[in-house]
Amino acid sequence: MIEAKGSSATVSSAAPSRTERAVDSAKHHLLQNYKQQPVVLVRGEGAWVWDAEGRRYLDLIQGIATCALGHCHPAVVAAARAQLETLWHVSNVFYTEPQLQLAERLTAAFGGRDARAFFCNSGAEANEALIKLARRYQHEVAGQRERSDIITFEGSFHGRTLATVTATAQPKYQAGFEPLPQGFRYAPMGDLEAVKRLVGPTTAAILIEPIQGEGGVRPAPPGFLSALRALCDEHGLLLLIDEVQTGIGRTGTAFAYQQHGVQPDAISLAKSLGNGLPIGAMVCSDAVGKALPSGTHGSTFGGNPVAAAAAVATWDLATTPEALKANAEKGELLHRLGRELQARRPGRVVDVRGRGLLFGIEVDGGAADVVARCRQNGLLVNLAGEKTVRFAPAFVTSAAELAEGVAMFERSL
């Protein structure tokens, strides 16, 4: 401490903390497009992360459903490091082995030799690929050049590019970006009759999430996806399923659509695919994939060897029968704990929903304050809509850690 001259006031000479320096730097140098929390995370291991001040947090959001195997999983670290020391990047005019190994795994799970994979860097890019695929399929393969409209669902979220933010049927994400691209129609989630009314001679495809993530962790109603499949077959439309948050075993099967008894024409993947390294994918049937021959679509960094090697290691661990069974069981535990919490706090907890390790608790009133108090209590979760708190734990999170997380959440109410 030092004394200010000519005054009895005491002025602190303490240097700002690492967190204070980082927050100040962010205010001056980062685009202020994120509502960032005042925490600087510097290290992670499994289900836990540490901030710049040494405080530990139970991370039950994991990059928003991204680190499927938790932070710094040794198998993924080893795969990425080995590839990093061998070959970082080449153009997609050449083959690389990690990309082919990943494609073999994804197409086998989707449809074997009758499937194709395309790699990009994010979920938004994967959904852009779905949109381009559907339109070009109708125009060039099916010979239906008037078909370009995509039906999506209120409360959905498909990305932040102009096309995918338009596919996202939430006006708050679209405001200020007008004019938006044409060719998207919106139906209420679960309302089959509303979908039927939208289907017409210009309809090309239906795009849906098995569980709406940003829309409040809302699963599609039982039988809805199969009804959409039948509707697509009746009218010659493509069924496109956005598995960006639900894929790679999170809900207890490799892909969430597999629990609905349907086979889509194409799916999008990202988030958990690379356990945190940036990679996305579109997987489609061979018949539909013929719509995108050489020169019609591409990505400079898509299927990068390092990201692909990490994704192969992630897939091999995340989709074993044992891992899928454990995810389903942990999801049942989360739901049981959530229902018990709702019974104890019926005026505060409105609903619990989700499937597997994609789980939401809807609270009475805004949930932003609850998320902030969770952080203060050592728990990381995030908002999914204005009233729902989303949990997307790593698959390696133990039952005891999940129970601890729900207890932390209850204290944060």
Side-chain angles (χ1 to χ4, degrees):
M1 307 290 285
I2 61 174
E3 295 292 332
K5 288 184 178 180
S7 169
S8 60
T10 301
V11 180
S12 172
S13 62
S17 68
R18 289 177 68 185
T19 298
E20 291 169 335
R21 291 197 302 272
V23 170
D24 183 66
S25 176
K27 288 178 179 178
H28 287 87
H29 301 292
L30 290 181
L31 188 67
Q32 301 297 293
N33 58 313
Y34 297 113
K35 196 174 288 185
Q36 290 177 295
Q37 301 184 36
V39 175
V40 181
L41 299 178
V42 297
R43 183 168 71 89
E45 182 180 342
W48 298 87
V49 290
W50 288 259
D51 70 14
E53 312 307 322
R55 188 178 182 198
R56 188 176 79 151
Y57 302 84
L58 178 58
D59 186 0
L60 295 189
I61 191 59
Q62 291 281 335
I64 311 181
T66 298
C67 298
L69 300 177
H71 298 283
C72 297
H73 191 284
V76 183
V77 170
R81 177 180 290 131
Q83 188 60 47
L84 193 63
E85 293 173 348
T86 306
L87 182 69
W88 287 17
H89 177 75
V90 294
S91 166
N92 274 315
V93 302
F94 304 101
Y95 299 114
T96 60
E97 291 178 333
Q99 186 180 118
L100 294 174
Q101 293 164 3
L102 181 58
E104 289 168 0
R105 286 157 169 79
L106 296 180
T107 56
F110 181 83
R113 294 184 63 83
D114 293 328
R116 305 286 173 179
F118 163 79
F119 294 109
C120 51
N121 309 285
S122 68
E125 291 173 76
N127 284 328
E128 283 269 351
L130 287 181
I131 293 165
K132 291 180 71 174
L133 175 76
R135 288 181 172 177
R136 205 167 193 281
Y137 170 81
Q138 296 290 4
H139 296 177
E140 305 297 331
V141 178
Q144 304 289 327
R145 298 194 63 82
E146 73 283 2
R147 291 191 168 184
S148 58
D149 290 351
I150 313 290
I151 296 173
T152 65
F153 294 89
E154 295 171 4
S156 62
F157 185 87
H158 299 292
R160 301 277 190 171
T161 66
L162 274 177
T164 56
V165 83
T166 309
T168 295
Q170 297 196 58
K172 67 180 181 181
Y173 293 115
Q174 301 170 347
F177 298 113
E178 300 85 357
L180 299 171
Q182 298 180 349
F184 296 91
R185 310 285 299 280
Y186 309 134
M189 180 64 153
D191 190 338
L192 183 62
E193 293 306 313
V195 179
K196 289 180 178 179
R197 289 192 294 270
L198 292 177
V199 172
T202 62
T203 309
I206 297 173
L207 171 61
I208 188 170
E209 300 160 275
I211 301 174
Q212 289 186 336
E214 299 297 324
V217 193
R218 299 182 184 277
F224 189 57
L225 265 61
S226 59
L228 293 181
R229 175 74 274 177
L231 186 64
C232 287
D233 293 341
E234 179 184 354
H235 293 277
L237 315 179
L238 298 187
L239 179 61
L240 314 175
I241 296 186
D242 180 339
E243 292 265 4
V244 169
Q245 287 199 38
T246 54
I248 326 300
R250 179 161 295 279
T251 66
T253 49
F255 309 125
Y257 77 77
Q258 293 168 328
Q259 300 173 36
H260 293 263
V262 300
Q263 178 62 40
D265 296 292
I267 62 173
S268 56
L269 300 166
K271 289 196 180 290
S272 292
L273 183 57
N275 202 58
L277 290 187
I279 186 169
M282 177 186 72
V283 187
C284 63
S285 69
D286 178 57
V288 173
K290 294 182 187 301
L292 293 178
S294 175
T296 57
H297 195 50
S299 170
T300 296
F301 295 104
N304 169 275
V306 177
V312 169
T314 301
W315 176 271
D316 286 349
L317 289 171
T319 60
T320 65
E322 297 79 13
L324 297 176
K325 182 174 182 289
N327 286 358
E329 291 173 347
K330 290 174 185 177
E332 292 172 0
L333 171 64
L334 269 177
H335 276 74
R336 178 174 63 78
L337 293 172
R339 288 191 297 269
E340 291 171 354
L341 172 59
Q342 185 179 17
R344 289 192 299 271
R345 302 291 297 273
R348 194 74 170 97
V349 176
V350 176
D351 193 18
V352 296
R353 53 183 176 259
R355 187 178 292 272
L357 293 179
L358 185 58
F359 177 69
I361 300 179
E362 183 178 338
V363 299
D364 182 43
D369 289 345
V370 178
V371 169
R373 287 194 294 272
C374 283
R375 184 190 71 245
Q376 293 162 5
N377 287 327
L379 173 68
L380 300 186
V381 287
N382 85 325
L383 288 175
E386 295 179 358
K387 297 182 179 181
T388 302
V389 177
R390 172 172 40 190
F391 295 68
F395 305 171
V396 298
T397 309
S398 69
E401 288 168 333
L402 293 175
E404 182 177 357
V406 174
M408 287 174 161
F409 177 83
E410 183 170 11
R411 290 197 296 274
S412 304
L413 287 174

